[in-house]
Amino acid sequence: MARINDSYLKLKAGYLFPEIARRVRTFAEAHPNAAIIRLGIGDVTEPLPPAIVEAMQRAVGEMSRRESFRGYGPEQGYDFLREAIAEHDFRARGCDISADEVFVSDGSKCDTGNILDIFGIENRVAVQDPVYPVYVDTNVMAGRTGAATPEGRYAGLVYLPCTEANQFSPALPDEPVDLIYLCSPNNPTGTALTKSALQGWVDYARRNDAIILFDAAYEAYITDAEIPHSIYEIPGARDVAIEFRSFSKNAGFTGTRCAYTIVPKTLTGAAADGGRHNIHALWTRRHTTKFNGVSYPVQAGAAAAYSPEGRQQIRELVRFYLENASLLRSGLERAGIQVFGGVNAPYIWLKTPGGQSSWDFFDALLTQAHLVGTPGSGFGSCGEGYFRLSAFNSRQNIEEALARLTKFVG
Ligand code: MLT
């Protein structure tokens, strides 16, 4: 008898974004003339920067000629890209990260889930609430949790509330944990952890022999000079943290797929017999066994993100989305809505007017204003009564969405 992984049966019905897409599809089919504006999933809308496109085209040209054709590349990524990442994203910020600690992949979503392969089932896992659902669902799939409560919390996970009261910066857990997911700038609240908050987490991890899984996919959106871009800016982090980065949200790679994960060689974890083992070696084993690398043209494009022109074009792209965020933020504030985020992140986290539930607000906004956002409760029980808007869209759509929102709440 072929048995399924019963843990999948514990998962809530659908992953958040497909559920939103389903509701939008149903509405759109019934109202084919509705001009729906989507500010739900954080998917970029602007074309790839020209420097990246040119590098990709050159690489495709190389693949078309026998003398420059390439087959399988190194699973961890080509040296030219790993070197550029280590140099520009880390050493330029004073972080001691070397190219062979960079693992290039096809996405941070995959990496934050796949990393669980190398960690024991008995680890106690802490997640922020609200939280990017992938961290939770992949732990459920791995069998690390019990059933979900009616509020959608899973037994066995330690939830770290992120609320207005703590400015969306979680307090250290009051029970021991072994793996800690932190996302900064945060998806979904759009707020970022300060240096001292991050230092607190690094110190906690060092005291408790824990490992931090630090998701910095939105790092490019940091505007405040005091906010760390990498956890490795914090002294001691090399021994306790893995960092996830992506080209999706800065360079527009959501459809092109390229990301990377940093696993420092100084990071170790305990085996059942108490012996210490190198996490870098385990991840190398896992990555090279289950992954064959990102395509050469895509890596060539990612490397062009570090050329002088590429860096300038990416800065402009990020600035464009941040201006969208700023327009949404100020417009909503003028309309009397309480808003958070949107300064160091492309997400606006708003309090639903009149204390409406997140999904009620979603449905009303969709059916009356033809706007799509993401219900805060879809990210966890502390997200109830909140709503996320993505700033990834054209200027025209952002302005139109704001006009509709203002009318809707007015
Ligand atoms: C989001 O909307 O939360 C993101 O698009 C999710 C992701 O990057 O996978």
Side-chain angles (χ1 to χ4, degrees):
M1 179 175 57
R3 282 279 308 269
I4 61 158
N5 176 351
D6 281 57
S7 296
Y8 277 65
L9 305 179
K10 295 178 191 159
L11 290 165
K12 282 175 283 163
Y15 182 60
L16 176 61
F17 293 107
E19 170 59 19
I20 291 172
R22 191 190 62 76
R23 290 193 190 206
V24 175
R25 211 168 33 247
T26 306
F27 178 77
E29 278 164 14
H31 304 86
N33 295 326
I36 297 171
I37 298 180
R38 291 170 169 79
L39 305 178
I41 191 163
D43 192 4
V44 296
T45 54
E46 304 308 296
L48 290 170
I52 290 176
V53 173
E54 283 156 26
M56 286 180 174
Q57 284 169 337
R58 266 195 310 276
V60 170
E62 286 174 45
M63 297 295 266
S64 73
R65 294 185 292 276
R66 176 170 296 280
E67 63 280 10
S68 50
F69 171 79
R70 296 176 189 232
Y72 291 125
E75 293 91 342
Q76 299 94 325
Y78 284 104
D79 285 345
F80 64 78
L81 179 56
R82 300 173 89 196
E83 287 290 352
I85 290 169
E87 179 55 36
H88 293 282
D89 287 345
F90 297 97
R91 289 200 290 269
R93 290 193 181 278
C95 305
D96 173 23
I97 294 295
S98 60
D100 59 0
E101 294 173 319
V102 178
F103 294 79
V104 176
S105 77
D106 60 352
S108 287
K109 177 178 177 176
C110 328
D111 282 355
T112 53
N114 290 336
I115 199 78
L116 294 176
D117 274 13
I118 62 168
F119 290 108
I121 195 76
E122 53 287 282
N123 281 303
R124 289 151 303 178
V125 175
V127 292
Q128 294 174 257
D129 180 4
V131 62
Y132 179 41
V134 171
Y135 314 150
V136 171
D137 288 3
T138 52
N139 273 287
V140 176
M141 290 170 179
R144 204 168 274 117
T145 73
T149 63
E151 300 78 48
R153 281 191 164 186
Y154 288 92
L157 291 183
V158 174
Y159 288 87
L160 308 169
C162 295
T163 61
E164 276 172 73
N166 61 19
Q167 294 171 314
F168 305 101
S169 181
L172 298 176
D174 45 21
E175 57 187 298
V177 297
D178 308 301
L179 293 177
I180 304 152
Y181 289 88
L182 293 177
C183 177
S184 179
N186 188 259
N187 179 10
T189 66
T191 48
L193 294 175
T194 61
K195 199 163 262 181
S196 71
L198 260 187
Q199 184 71 64
W201 281 104
V202 168
D203 293 345
Y204 173 91
R206 294 180 69 89
R207 275 196 313 275
N208 293 278
D209 199 7
I211 290 180
I212 298 171
L213 303 172
F214 188 70
D215 186 348
Y218 299 94
E219 157 284 325
Y221 289 83
I222 294 172
T223 55
D224 180 341
E226 296 306 309
I227 302 288
H229 287 241
S230 165
I231 197 163
Y232 305 115
E233 290 176 45
I234 308 298
R238 269 188 64 85
D239 301 332
V240 292
I242 291 173
E243 181 164 311
F244 304 93
R245 290 275 192 109
S246 171
F247 292 95
S248 284
K249 313 291 162 109
N250 60 348
F253 273 49
T254 54
T256 309
R257 312 306 310 149
C258 196
Y260 64 88
T261 289
I262 303 293
V263 186
K265 288 187 174 158
T266 43
L267 184 63
T268 62
D273 63 4
R276 302 299 299 188
H277 291 267
N278 189 272
I279 300 290
H280 184 277
L282 294 182
W283 185 241
T284 302
R285 186 71 173 85
R286 191 268 172 213
H287 197 75
T288 54
T289 303
K290 292 197 180 180
F291 188 61
N292 254 340
V294 174
S295 78
Y296 171 64
V298 169
Q299 291 194 61
Y306 298 101
S307 69
E309 314 76 59
R311 292 173 70 182
Q312 178 56 28
Q313 291 162 8
I314 284 175
R315 263 198 297 277
E316 279 163 23
L317 201 49
V318 169
R319 193 179 309 132
F320 172 79
Y321 290 128
L322 276 171
E323 279 166 12
N324 282 351
S326 166
L327 285 173
L328 283 173
R329 225 190 118 96
S330 52
L332 287 166
E333 271 170 348
R334 275 198 304 278
I337 302 283
Q338 203 177 355
V339 292
F340 307 92
V343 175
N344 292 301
Y347 295 125
I348 305 289
W349 188 242
L350 64 91
K351 207 161 182 175
T352 58
Q356 281 180 82
S357 81
S358 303
W359 276 110
D360 283 353
F361 187 72
F362 172 91
D363 287 330
L365 200 60
L366 173 61
T367 54
Q368 294 167 38
H370 306 165
L371 290 178
V372 181
T374 309
S377 57
F379 297 102
S381 56
C382 290
E384 181 56 280
Y386 290 87
F387 199 74
R388 194 194 76 176
L389 291 176
S390 155
F392 292 116
N393 220 310
S394 65
R395 184 58 45 84
Q396 197 188 349
N397 274 352
I398 291 289
E399 284 169 352
E400 170 63 20
L402 194 53
R404 290 190 205 171
L405 268 164
T406 307
K407 195 161 158 228
F408 176 73
V409 299

